[in-house]
Amino acid sequence: MCTPRMLKDRVEIMGHKFTSETILVPCIYLAHRRTDTYPESEQFRPERFLNQKFSPYEYLPFGGGYRGCIGAAFSMYEIKLVTAIILSHFELSLTDKRPAHPVRRGITIVPSGGIKMVVTKKAKFKRQTILSS
């Protein structure tokens, strides 16, 4: 979801012509499901971000342009840190393998009914120093 914008001038987008004062509302949900940008877009494949850096016009969880979220950089740093800490201490597994269905909650998209998981604490390994002679 994004905030509605009123056009100041005429514009053409993908062959569609819009006049000034037209209100457009971009949809991040649909942008992230473009199969030309994201093959198998309906599949949860976080590894797709490992080998490709998407442009601000292809991946826009914080909006885009000069009106993008001011906290985007901090938020991305924070989620990487939290994810690394959680995954280094716990194992997560789904209790239900059925696909989650997205629903709108405010300006965000969330899974309907939440995601139920089993959280298992990882065993701690003792650190050992190996000496070679």
Short mmCIF file of all heavy atoms in Angstrom, two decimals, residues 88-121:
data_model
loop_
_atom_site.label_atom_id
_atom_site.label_comp_id
_atom_site.label_asym_id
_atom_site.label_seq_id
_atom_site.Cartn_x
_atom_site.Cartn_y
_atom_site.Cartn_z
N SER A 88 20.43 -17.65 15.21
CA SER A 88 21.63 -18.25 15.81
C SER A 88 21.33 -18.93 17.15
O SER A 88 22.11 -19.74 17.62
CB SER A 88 22.73 -17.20 15.98
OG SER A 88 22.35 -16.23 16.92
N HIS A 89 20.19 -18.62 17.75
CA HIS A 89 19.84 -19.21 19.04
C HIS A 89 18.66 -20.19 19.00
O HIS A 89 18.49 -20.99 19.92
CB HIS A 89 19.50 -18.10 20.05
CG HIS A 89 20.69 -17.30 20.46
ND1 HIS A 89 21.11 -16.18 19.76
CD2 HIS A 89 21.55 -17.43 21.48
CE1 HIS A 89 22.17 -15.68 20.34
NE2 HIS A 89 22.47 -16.41 21.39
N PHE A 90 17.85 -20.10 17.95
CA PHE A 90 16.64 -20.91 17.90
C PHE A 90 16.44 -21.54 16.53
O PHE A 90 16.94 -21.03 15.54
CB PHE A 90 15.40 -20.05 18.23
CG PHE A 90 15.46 -19.39 19.57
CD1 PHE A 90 15.89 -18.08 19.71
CD2 PHE A 90 15.08 -20.08 20.72
CE1 PHE A 90 15.95 -17.47 20.95
CE2 PHE A 90 15.14 -19.48 21.96
CZ PHE A 90 15.58 -18.16 22.07
N GLU A 91 15.69 -22.63 16.52
CA GLU A 91 15.22 -23.23 15.27
C GLU A 91 13.73 -22.97 15.19
O GLU A 91 13.00 -23.15 16.18
CB GLU A 91 15.51 -24.72 15.23
CG GLU A 91 16.98 -25.03 15.06
CD GLU A 91 17.24 -26.51 14.85
OE1 GLU A 91 16.34 -27.22 14.35
OE2 GLU A 91 18.33 -26.94 15.20
N LEU A 92 13.26 -22.56 14.03
CA LEU A 92 11.85 -22.25 13.84
C LEU A 92 11.26 -23.22 12.83
O LEU A 92 11.87 -23.53 11.82
CB LEU A 92 11.68 -20.82 13.29
CG LEU A 92 12.41 -19.71 14.06
CD1 LEU A 92 12.27 -18.39 13.32
CD2 LEU A 92 11.86 -19.59 15.46
N SER A 93 10.06 -23.72 13.12
CA SER A 93 9.38 -24.57 12.15
C SER A 93 7.89 -24.26 12.20
O SER A 93 7.33 -23.93 13.25
CB SER A 93 9.64 -26.04 12.42
OG SER A 93 9.23 -26.39 13.73
N LEU A 94 7.26 -24.35 11.04
CA LEU A 94 5.83 -24.07 10.94
C LEU A 94 5.01 -25.22 11.52
O LEU A 94 5.38 -26.38 11.35
CB LEU A 94 5.43 -23.86 9.48
CG LEU A 94 6.04 -22.65 8.78
CD1 LEU A 94 5.72 -22.69 7.29
CD2 LEU A 94 5.53 -21.37 9.40
N THR A 95 3.92 -24.90 12.18
CA THR A 95 3.02 -25.96 12.67
C THR A 95 2.03 -26.36 11.58
O THR A 95 1.47 -27.44 11.64
CB THR A 95 2.24 -25.50 13.92
OG1 THR A 95 1.47 -24.36 13.59
CG2 THR A 95 3.19 -25.18 15.06
N ASP A 96 1.83 -25.49 10.63
CA ASP A 96 0.87 -25.74 9.55
C ASP A 96 1.56 -25.42 8.23
O ASP A 96 2.06 -24.31 8.04
CB ASP A 96 -0.35 -24.85 9.74
CG ASP A 96 -1.47 -25.15 8.77
OD1 ASP A 96 -1.29 -25.99 7.86
OD2 ASP A 96 -2.54 -24.53 8.92
N LYS A 97 1.60 -26.36 7.32
CA LYS A 97 2.30 -26.17 6.04
C LYS A 97 1.44 -25.51 4.97
O LYS A 97 1.89 -25.28 3.87
CB LYS A 97 2.80 -27.53 5.51
CG LYS A 97 3.71 -28.27 6.46
CD LYS A 97 5.02 -27.55 6.64
CE LYS A 97 5.95 -28.38 7.52
NZ LYS A 97 7.10 -27.69 7.97
N ARG A 98 0.16 -25.22 5.29
CA ARG A 98 -0.70 -24.57 4.31
C ARG A 98 -0.22 -23.14 4.04
O ARG A 98 0.28 -22.48 4.93
CB ARG A 98 -2.14 -24.53 4.79
CG ARG A 98 -2.81 -25.90 4.80
CD ARG A 98 -4.22 -25.80 5.27
NE ARG A 98 -4.19 -25.41 6.69
CZ ARG A 98 -5.24 -25.01 7.37
NH1 ARG A 98 -6.41 -24.93 6.80
NH2 ARG A 98 -5.14 -24.69 8.64
N PRO A 99 -0.41 -22.65 2.80
CA PRO A 99 0.00 -21.28 2.49
C PRO A 99 -0.77 -20.25 3.31
O PRO A 99 -1.96 -20.45 3.59
CB PRO A 99 -0.33 -21.12 1.00
CG PRO A 99 -0.60 -22.49 0.49
CD PRO A 99 -0.96 -23.35 1.67
N ALA A 100 -0.10 -19.20 3.70
CA ALA A 100 -0.76 -18.10 4.41
C ALA A 100 -1.38 -17.17 3.37
O ALA A 100 -0.85 -17.02 2.27
CB ALA A 100 0.26 -17.34 5.24
N HIS A 101 -2.49 -16.57 3.71
CA HIS A 101 -3.15 -15.64 2.80
C HIS A 101 -2.98 -14.23 3.32
O HIS A 101 -3.25 -13.95 4.49
CB HIS A 101 -4.63 -16.00 2.66
CG HIS A 101 -4.82 -17.37 2.07
ND1 HIS A 101 -4.67 -17.61 0.73
CD2 HIS A 101 -5.11 -18.55 2.65
CE1 HIS A 101 -4.87 -18.90 0.51
NE2 HIS A 101 -5.14 -19.50 1.66
N PRO A 102 -2.53 -13.32 2.46
CA PRO A 102 -2.28 -11.94 2.91
C PRO A 102 -3.57 -11.16 3.11
O PRO A 102 -4.54 -11.33 2.37
CB PRO A 102 -1.46 -11.35 1.76
CG PRO A 102 -1.84 -12.16 0.57
CD PRO A 102 -2.17 -13.53 1.07
N VAL A 103 -3.56 -10.33 4.14
CA VAL A 103 -4.66 -9.41 4.40
C VAL A 103 -4.07 -8.05 4.76
O VAL A 103 -2.93 -7.96 5.22
CB VAL A 103 -5.60 -9.89 5.55
CG1 VAL A 103 -6.32 -11.16 5.17
CG2 VAL A 103 -4.85 -10.07 6.84
N ARG A 104 -4.84 -7.02 4.55
CA ARG A 104 -4.37 -5.67 4.85
C ARG A 104 -4.61 -5.35 6.31
O ARG A 104 -5.68 -5.60 6.86
CB ARG A 104 -5.12 -4.67 3.98
CG ARG A 104 -4.66 -3.26 4.20
CD ARG A 104 -5.35 -2.32 3.25
NE ARG A 104 -4.97 -0.96 3.59
CZ ARG A 104 -5.39 0.08 2.96
NH1 ARG A 104 -6.21 -0.05 1.95
NH2 ARG A 104 -5.02 1.28 3.34
N ARG A 105 -3.59 -4.83 6.97
CA ARG A 105 -3.71 -4.33 8.35
C ARG A 105 -3.08 -2.94 8.35
O ARG A 105 -1.87 -2.80 8.32
CB ARG A 105 -2.99 -5.24 9.33
CG ARG A 105 -3.19 -4.74 10.77
CD ARG A 105 -2.50 -5.57 11.81
NE ARG A 105 -3.04 -6.91 11.85
CZ ARG A 105 -2.37 -7.97 12.31
NH1 ARG A 105 -1.14 -7.82 12.75
NH2 ARG A 105 -2.92 -9.16 12.31
N GLY A 106 -3.93 -1.94 8.34
CA GLY A 106 -3.43 -0.57 8.24
C GLY A 106 -2.78 -0.37 6.87
O GLY A 106 -3.40 -0.62 5.85
N ILE A 107 -1.53 0.05 6.87
CA ILE A 107 -0.82 0.25 5.60
C ILE A 107 0.08 -0.93 5.27
O ILE A 107 0.87 -0.87 4.34
CB ILE A 107 0.00 1.56 5.61
CG1 ILE A 107 1.09 1.51 6.69
CG2 ILE A 107 -0.90 2.77 5.76
CD1 ILE A 107 2.12 2.59 6.58
N THR A 108 -0.01 -2.01 6.04
CA THR A 108 0.85 -3.16 5.80
C THR A 108 0.03 -4.37 5.38
O THR A 108 -1.19 -4.40 5.52
CB THR A 108 1.66 -3.53 7.06
OG1 THR A 108 0.75 -3.89 8.11
CG2 THR A 108 2.54 -2.38 7.52
N ILE A 109 0.73 -5.38 4.88
CA ILE A 109 0.12 -6.65 4.52
C ILE A 109 0.66 -7.69 5.50
O ILE A 109 1.87 -7.77 5.71
CB ILE A 109 0.50 -7.06 3.08
CG1 ILE A 109 0.08 -5.99 2.07
CG2 ILE A 109 -0.08 -8.42 2.73
CD1 ILE A 109 -1.40 -5.90 1.82
N VAL A 110 -0.23 -8.46 6.10
CA VAL A 110 0.17 -9.48 7.08
C VAL A 110 -0.54 -10.79 6.74
O VAL A 110 -1.54 -10.80 6.03
CB VAL A 110 -0.18 -9.04 8.52
CG1 VAL A 110 0.54 -7.75 8.90
CG2 VAL A 110 -1.68 -8.87 8.69
N PRO A 111 -0.03 -11.91 7.26
CA PRO A 111 -0.74 -13.17 7.04
C PRO A 111 -2.02 -13.22 7.86
O PRO A 111 -2.03 -12.83 9.03
CB PRO A 111 0.25 -14.23 7.52
CG PRO A 111 1.29 -13.51 8.29
CD PRO A 111 1.23 -12.07 7.96
N SER A 112 -3.11 -13.67 7.24
CA SER A 112 -4.38 -13.76 7.97
C SER A 112 -4.26 -14.81 9.07
O SER A 112 -3.73 -15.89 8.85
CB SER A 112 -5.52 -14.13 7.02
OG SER A 112 -5.32 -15.42 6.50
N GLY A 113 -4.69 -14.48 10.25
CA GLY A 113 -4.64 -15.42 11.35
C GLY A 113 -3.26 -15.61 11.95
O GLY A 113 -3.07 -16.43 12.84
N GLY A 114 -2.27 -14.89 11.47
CA GLY A 114 -0.91 -15.03 11.99
C GLY A 114 -0.22 -16.27 11.46
O GLY A 114 -0.76 -16.99 10.62
N ILE A 115 0.97 -16.51 11.93
CA ILE A 115 1.76 -17.68 11.55
C ILE A 115 2.13 -18.41 12.83
O ILE A 115 2.84 -17.86 13.68
CB ILE A 115 3.05 -17.29 10.79
CG1 ILE A 115 2.71 -16.54 9.50
CG2 ILE A 115 3.91 -18.49 10.52
CD1 ILE A 115 2.12 -17.40 8.41
N LYS A 116 1.66 -19.63 12.98
CA LYS A 116 1.97 -20.41 14.18
C LYS A 116 3.24 -21.21 13.92
O LYS A 116 3.39 -21.87 12.90
CB LYS A 116 0.81 -21.33 14.51
CG LYS A 116 -0.42 -20.55 14.97
CD LYS A 116 -1.58 -21.46 15.27
CE LYS A 116 -2.77 -20.73 15.79
NZ LYS A 116 -3.22 -19.57 15.10
N MET A 117 4.17 -21.11 14.88
CA MET A 117 5.47 -21.77 14.75
C MET A 117 5.86 -22.46 16.04
O MET A 117 5.39 -22.10 17.12
CB MET A 117 6.55 -20.74 14.40
CG MET A 117 6.28 -19.95 13.15
SD MET A 117 7.65 -18.90 12.73
CE MET A 117 8.61 -20.05 11.80
N VAL A 118 6.74 -23.43 15.90
CA VAL A 118 7.37 -24.08 17.04
C VAL A 118 8.77 -23.51 17.13
O VAL A 118 9.51 -23.49 16.14
CB VAL A 118 7.42 -25.61 16.86
CG1 VAL A 118 8.20 -26.26 17.99
CG2 VAL A 118 6.02 -26.18 16.77
N VAL A 119 9.12 -23.02 18.30
CA VAL A 119 10.45 -22.44 18.53
C VAL A 119 11.22 -23.39 19.43
O VAL A 119 10.77 -23.71 20.53
CB VAL A 119 10.34 -21.04 19.17
CG1 VAL A 119 11.72 -20.46 19.42
CG2 VAL A 119 9.49 -20.12 18.32
N THR A 120 12.36 -23.84 18.95
CA THR A 120 13.20 -24.77 19.71
C THR A 120 14.56 -24.12 19.94
O THR A 120 15.18 -23.64 19.00
CB THR A 120 13.40 -26.09 18.92
OG1 THR A 120 12.12 -26.58 18.53
CG2 THR A 120 14.12 -27.12 19.75
N LYS A 121 14.98 -24.14 21.20
CA LYS A 121 16.28 -23.55 21.52
C LYS A 121 17.39 -24.45 20.99
O LYS A 121 17.33 -25.67 21.15
CB LYS A 121 16.42 -23.36 23.02
CG LYS A 121 17.65 -22.59 23.42
CD LYS A 121 17.60 -22.26 24.91
CE LYS A 121 18.90 -21.63 25.32
NZ LYS A 121 18.85 -20.23 25.53
#
